Amino acid sequence: MAPSALQALIDANSDFAAGYGADEYTRKAAELVCQLLDVEADVRFVFSGTAANSIALSMLAQPFEAVLAHHTAHVCTDETGAPGFFGHGVGLIGLPGYSGKIDEDALAAALEEPVVGHRQPAAALTLTQCTEYGTVYSEEEMSRLVRMAKAAGLGVHVDGARLANAVAAGFDPHVLGRMGVDIISLGGAKAGANGVEALVVLNRSLSRRIDNRIKQAGQTASKGRLLSAPMAGLLASGEWLSGAQHANAMAQKLADGIEANTPFVLAHPVESNAVFVRMPPEALEAVRAKGFAAYAFDDGSARFVCSWATKEAAVDELIAVLGGLGRV
C-alpha cells in the first residue's frame, strides 16, 4: 500500500463509525472522486475491478444484450465470464485494434450489424484506459468512439483500473464526463490502495436501486470506511497521481534500457507503466528464475509492469539480466 493509503486506513480504524458506507470517510472519498473527474456522480466502493466492471456492464445491458469491447480487454480475457455472471447472461463482442485500442472501422461495422432474434445485439461499449497493452487513448480518439456509440444509442463504460497512469501520461480525466461516458470503474488497488475500486455512475438515471445491486453481488462492505478510506488517502495526498507518474517513469527507463542494452525488442508503444517485450519462452523463464515477475501475454510477448513502489535499482538489475541473456 502507498503510505497515504495505509495511513488513511489506520486513521479510519481509530474510532467507531456508521456502517455500510454511511460514514464520513466514505463520503469524503466519494467527494474526492467527483473532484478528480469534475463531475456530479453517484459513487460506490467495491472490492475489485472485476466486480466494478461487471456491475457497471450489468447496468448498461440486459441479459439478452451484449457489450462491445476490445478483444484483449480485461472483461474479455481475465474475468472468467464475470460480466455474464453479474449480468445474468450479458454477452461480450470482441473488436480488433492495434495495441489494445478499438479500431474505429471495426466499431462502425459492429454498430451497423442488424438486430436479429438469434444473437445478442450490442447495448453498450466499454473502453479501457490505459489499454491492456499500456497504450493511452488520446482525448480525440476516445471521444470519437464514444460519439459513435452514443449516436447508435449505446451506453458507455470506461474501465479505469489504470486511469491514474493515463492521467500521468497526459490524459485529462475531466473530459470523461463531458464526452457522455455513463459509468467509470476508477482504480484504487493498482494506484496503491489495498483493494478498492470506485464505481462512478455519471448517468444517475442508472442509479436506481444501485445499493441493492451491489449487495446482491456480495460487494457491500459492512465496515465501509475501511474500504473507502485508502482511496481518499491516495486522492487527498496526491499519491494517486504522483505514484502513477513514478510508475510511468520507471517503465520508460526499462524500455529505454531494453532498447539500448539488450537484443530484445518492444512489442508495443510504451505510454504508461507497462512494457511488452518480444522474447523466447526460455528467456522469459530465465528472467523468472532471477526473481522477476513477468507475464506471458496473449500476443506472445512478455509483460513487465512498474508500480508506484518500483525502485530504479530493480529496473537497472532487470536490464542487466536481460542484457546478459542476450550474450548467452
Side-chain angles (χ1 to χ4, degrees):
M1 292 179 69
S4 63
L6 182 56
Q7 186 59 53
L9 179 62
I10 293 169
D11 293 343
N13 193 50
S14 63
D15 206 347
F16 296 101
Y20 299 101
D23 59 89
E24 286 302 303
Y25 300 96
T26 300
R27 180 192 62 78
K28 181 62 175 177
E31 287 181 358
L32 289 168
V33 167
C34 289
Q35 289 173 20
L36 172 71
L37 300 170
D38 191 28
V39 296
E40 293 184 1
D42 291 322
V43 181
R44 298 294 187 274
F45 298 96
V46 296
F47 297 101
S48 73
T50 295
N53 289 340
S54 300
I55 293 170
L57 297 183
S58 76
M59 297 167 72
L60 294 174
Q62 296 291 327
F64 51 84
E65 295 175 322
V67 176
L68 300 171
H70 193 278
H71 67 84
T72 65
H74 211 265
V75 294
C76 292
T77 62
D78 287 279
E79 296 184 351
T80 322
F85 178 77
F86 282 73
H88 303 286
V90 166
L92 295 168
I93 299 173
L95 301 177
Y98 179 68
S99 291
K101 294 182 180 180
I102 291 176
D103 180 80
E104 288 183 33
D105 290 338
L107 176 59
L111 294 175
E112 290 171 0
E113 283 287 322
V115 175
V116 298
H118 297 277
R119 60 175 178 261
Q120 291 171 295
L125 170 70
T126 180
L127 300 168
T128 308
Q129 180 76 315
C130 306
T131 73
E132 293 300 315
Y133 287 110
T135 54
V136 179
Y137 284 104
S138 69
E139 177 182 346
E140 182 54 32
E141 286 173 332
M142 182 170 282
S143 181
R144 285 197 296 268
L145 295 173
V146 172
R147 286 198 301 268
M148 292 168 66
K150 286 292 182 177
L154 274 63
V156 177
H157 164 254
V158 169
D159 178 355
R162 294 187 177 89
L163 186 61
N165 300 97
V167 175
F171 182 78
D172 181 1
H174 294 175
V175 303
L176 294 172
R178 297 197 291 266
M179 285 180 190
V181 171
D182 294 289
I183 308 179
I184 301 169
S185 304
L186 182 71
K190 290 181 172 64
N194 54 330
V196 59
E197 311 293 312
L199 184 63
V200 189
V201 186
L202 286 71
N203 180 354
R204 301 173 92 168
S205 68
L206 299 170
S207 295
R208 182 172 180 265
R209 295 177 178 167
I210 184 174
D211 293 315
N212 305 84
R213 187 185 296 267
I214 291 172
K215 178 66 172 179
Q216 186 185 61
Q219 293 293 312
T220 300
S222 55
K223 298 181 181 181
R225 71 193 188 282
L226 303 184
L227 181 63
S228 60
M231 177 75 88
L234 286 173
L235 293 172
S237 68
E239 283 192 323
W240 185 84
L241 179 57
S242 65
Q245 290 169 332
H246 173 79
N248 289 9
M250 291 299 96
Q252 191 60 60
K253 176 181 173 67
L254 176 59
D256 292 342
I258 289 171
E259 291 189 310
N261 301 295
T262 82
F264 304 114
V265 298
L266 303 179
H268 299 279
V270 178
E271 298 177 355
S272 58
N273 67 321
V275 180
F276 292 81
V277 185
R278 297 286 182 203
M279 61 172 60
E282 57 270 21
L284 177 57
E285 289 305 316
V287 171
R288 288 172 172 165
K290 294 288 187 179
F292 290 96
Y295 180 73
F297 224 64
D298 57 4
D299 70 335
S301 64
R303 184 185 72 172
F304 298 90
V305 180
C306 298
S307 79
W308 68 272
T310 299
K311 295 179 173 60
E312 288 195 37
V315 175
D316 289 333
E317 183 183 354
L318 176 55
I319 293 169
V321 168
L322 291 170
L325 290 175
R327 292 191 291 271
V328 173

